Amino acid sequence: MSLTTTLYGETFRFDSVKDVLARANEPRAGDRQAGLAPRSMREMAAAKWVLANLTMQELRENPAVPYDKDEVTRVAEDDLDEVAFRRVASWTVAELREWILDHDTSGEQIGAISPGLTGEMAAAVAKLMTNMDLVMAGQKIRVIVRCNNTLGLPGRISSRLQPNHPRDDVDGILAAVRDGISFGNGDAVIGINPATGSIQSTVDILKAVKDFMRRFRVPTQNCVLSHLTIQMRAIERGAPCDLLFQSIAGSEGANKNFGISVKLLDEAWDLGLREGTAQGPNVMYFETGQGTALSANAHHGADQVTMEARSYALARRYKPFLLNSVVGFIGPEYLADGKEITRAGLEDHFMGKLMGIPMGCDACYTNHANADQNDQENLEMLLAMAGVNYLMGIPMGDDVMLNYSTTSFHNNAALRELLHLRPAPEFEQWMEERGLWRNGRLTSRAGDASVFTTAPR
């Protein structure tokens, strides 16, 4: 295994596979902050050249965090499909990239090797791709999942209706739910970030949203994005919960910062399958984001893209219904501007799908980042072209509780019309029955929340 190359008379030597992965990364704020970014464009090119010639076997033998020091590494290694891995073990990263992008390679063929890939392998191939490569490759791969409805089918795009309220006021939450659903949002999930850590508040919100879903027979999922332990206690109190949520990261230390472990995730998954209200079989919802491990000082000297991809190896264990990268939420300390946010969103979507994850994205930015609405809408369109399973849906695109900007109800409706995409099939049929959708598009009743003032006959 050679970690040295010479470009135009200058020799570049890298300390480890982890160092190669870091220096091959497209520049971003978090890696610069950690001293891991390429120190010049020439060094980045040299690192990409070295990376291109590493094999999957060599990447497997050199995880970003050692097996004996990290349970995320152990999950990735112990759960790896050996038959699928043997098909690609001798391939170089360059060969994997070329095969994925080859016109004759289907999404089904890519899906067949997914169980044999680690996060480091997915990150490596993403680092050799342009933005267009990432869109082309992501569009090929379909990860189809089912909870109370079906996500990931070709020609469709879904959204998480995110009706957050700064005081967890149930009536305020339901008002936003009615508004969002009338625009065709919410087929991925009606998922609320609570303002408090109260178990009772989680119970109240879950019950209110589920009552609304039952009254109007809405074929979707409910979820409250409180800490996993709070959701588990809410279920034990009888709260109707379809999806169990948790933020996760690519190292054991970063997950400890979230107050979770593999053991806790195992327990929650089992509880959701046994006592949750979803039809299933996919009952877990995860959020990730580049920079998470670095912000917890638990990145082990690995770059943001690699640590993000490792979180997908952990998520894969639980066969989630939803996973989205909250791509610009952590802030400009990690992704400085619209260019970095766009690149990260496309990387995350591709890497997750390559590893068999049903990927969504929160295409968002905070107000102190060097980004604006145009940057965000560019990313939305690119992700929709790439076949993303779902995006967020928030009133006017501005979250009044979390104070950040993301996709609006209207944006999601516009994407469907622009790219001739449809909601989840069960949700589309329901919208037609309610008079909100006809002939592949919203009707004049879209945006009329009075549709939900009376129960259906």
Side-chain angles (χ1 to χ4, degrees):
M1 179 176 65
S2 174
L3 302 182
T4 301
T5 192
T6 300
L7 290 181
Y8 300 103
E10 184 177 0
T11 298
F12 295 88
R13 294 182 176 87
F14 301 97
D15 296 335
S16 62
V17 170
K18 182 162 58 177
D19 189 35
V20 173
L21 284 164
R23 305 301 177 185
N25 211 33
E26 298 292 320
R28 60 206 58 203
D31 291 341
R32 290 191 290 271
Q33 176 191 162
L36 300 171
R39 286 157 289 210
S40 67
M41 294 299 288
R42 186 171 289 187
E43 184 185 46
M44 181 173 71
K48 287 179 186 290
W49 180 264
V50 171
L51 182 61
N53 290 286
L54 294 179
T55 66
M56 299 303 111
Q57 183 70 49
E58 289 166 339
L59 287 166
R60 182 179 182 180
E61 292 170 354
N62 292 273
V65 191
Y67 181 92
D68 60 348
K69 294 183 178 179
D70 187 86
E71 67 178 5
V72 175
T73 303
R74 292 193 288 275
V75 165
E77 175 63 27
D78 296 347
D79 291 355
L80 204 68
D81 185 313
E82 293 292 345
V83 174
F85 173 72
R86 282 196 295 272
R87 291 184 57 190
V88 300
S90 63
W91 292 9
T92 65
V93 179
E95 288 170 336
L96 177 59
R97 173 189 176 275
E98 291 298 316
W99 179 78
I100 290 171
L101 292 172
D102 190 288
H103 179 74
D104 292 328
T105 302
S106 68
E108 290 75 15
Q109 289 173 305
I110 298 170
I113 68 163
S114 291
L117 302 178
T118 66
E120 285 82 356
M121 298 173 200
V125 70
K127 292 167 191 284
L128 298 188
M129 289 186 168
T130 66
N131 285 7
M132 186 177 286
D133 290 340
L134 294 168
V135 172
M136 288 287 292
Q139 193 274 338
K140 280 189 176 189
I141 310 167
R142 290 288 164 182
V143 183
I144 300 169
V145 286
R146 179 169 179 79
C147 187
N148 295 331
N149 60 13
T150 309
L151 263 58
L153 293 166
R156 299 181 185 272
I157 190 171
S158 299
S159 63
R160 168 189 160 192
L161 206 173
Q162 187 171 313
N164 296 343
H165 193 281
R167 293 187 292 106
D168 286 347
D169 180 78
V170 169
D171 290 336
I173 289 169
L174 291 178
V177 168
R178 287 189 288 269
D179 187 25
I181 288 191
S182 71
F183 277 107
N185 288 258
D187 50 335
V189 64
I190 302 173
I192 301 92
N193 297 91
T196 70
S198 160
I199 297 174
Q200 190 57 50
S201 179
T202 293
V203 171
D204 293 342
I205 296 170
L206 284 170
K207 284 184 175 179
V209 172
K210 180 57 80 170
D211 286 348
F212 173 86
M213 289 166 54
R214 287 169 173 162
R215 181 183 180 194
F216 294 100
R217 303 172 190 169
V218 187
T220 188
Q221 297 68 225
N222 74 334
C223 180
V224 172
L225 285 71
S226 48
H227 191 271
L228 189 58
T229 54
I230 292 175
Q231 296 165 74
M232 293 168 74
R233 301 293 85 78
I235 290 175
E236 290 167 357
R237 290 189 184 185
C241 178
D242 293 327
L243 291 174
L244 279 154
F245 165 84
Q246 182 56 50
S247 294
I248 60 172
S251 74
E252 180 178 345
N255 285 322
K256 284 182 179 177
N257 193 58
F258 284 137
I260 63 166
S261 64
V262 171
K263 182 176 182 294
L264 179 61
L265 291 171
D266 287 348
E267 292 172 357
W269 187 31
D270 177 67
L271 180 67
L273 290 170
R274 286 187 295 105
E275 300 186 30
T277 48
Q279 296 176 37
N282 307 108
V283 298
M284 298 297 285
Y285 174 17
F286 297 119
E287 285 188 345
T288 63
Q290 288 191 29
T292 302
L294 176 58
S295 69
N297 195 27
H299 61 296
H300 297 270
D303 67 273
Q304 291 185 182
V305 173
T306 300
M307 293 307 293
E308 174 72 8
R310 285 170 52 87
S311 69
Y312 306 147
L314 174 61
R316 184 166 59 186
R317 176 183 180 90
Y318 303 101
K319 301 177 176 60
F321 181 69
L322 305 174
L323 187 151
N324 63 264
S325 164
V326 194
V327 70
F329 183 72
I330 304 180
E333 299 85 357
Y334 305 95
L335 297 170
D337 53 29
K339 182 177 181 180
E340 292 187 7
I341 291 170
T342 297
R343 173 73 188 185
L346 297 178
E347 288 167 341
D348 296 351
H349 174 256
F350 162 70
M351 293 188 301
K353 275 191 168 179
L354 180 60
M355 297 187 69
I357 298 296
M359 285 299 295
C361 186
D362 193 342
C364 63
Y365 64 96
T366 55
N367 290 330
H368 61 310
N370 186 15
D372 59 22
Q373 188 73 20
N374 289 326
D375 294 313
Q376 183 215 328
E377 291 181 5
N378 286 344
L379 178 55
E380 291 172 34
M381 289 186 284
L382 288 168
L383 286 166
M385 290 168 60
V388 70
N389 275 23
Y390 69 102
L391 298 168
M392 303 300 112
I394 294 180
M396 304 303 292
D398 290 314
D399 193 301
V400 296
M401 196 276 282
L402 293 175
N403 292 307
Y404 79 117
S405 297
T406 185
T407 38
S408 71
F409 299 156
H410 303 77
N411 286 19
N412 291 329
L415 285 174
R416 283 175 176 158
E417 186 166 343
L418 179 67
L419 297 173
H420 307 290
L421 299 171
R422 296 179 292 161
E426 302 88 345
F427 198 84
E428 180 182 29
Q429 180 181 343
W430 173 83
M431 287 180 67
E432 289 176 340
E433 293 169 356
R434 299 296 302 183
L436 296 168
W437 185 272
R438 187 168 294 110
N439 299 323
R441 61 184 300 172
L442 290 170
T443 69
S444 60
R445 296 205 70 181
D448 180 4
S450 69
V451 170
F452 304 110
T453 56
T454 59
R457 294 178 182 176

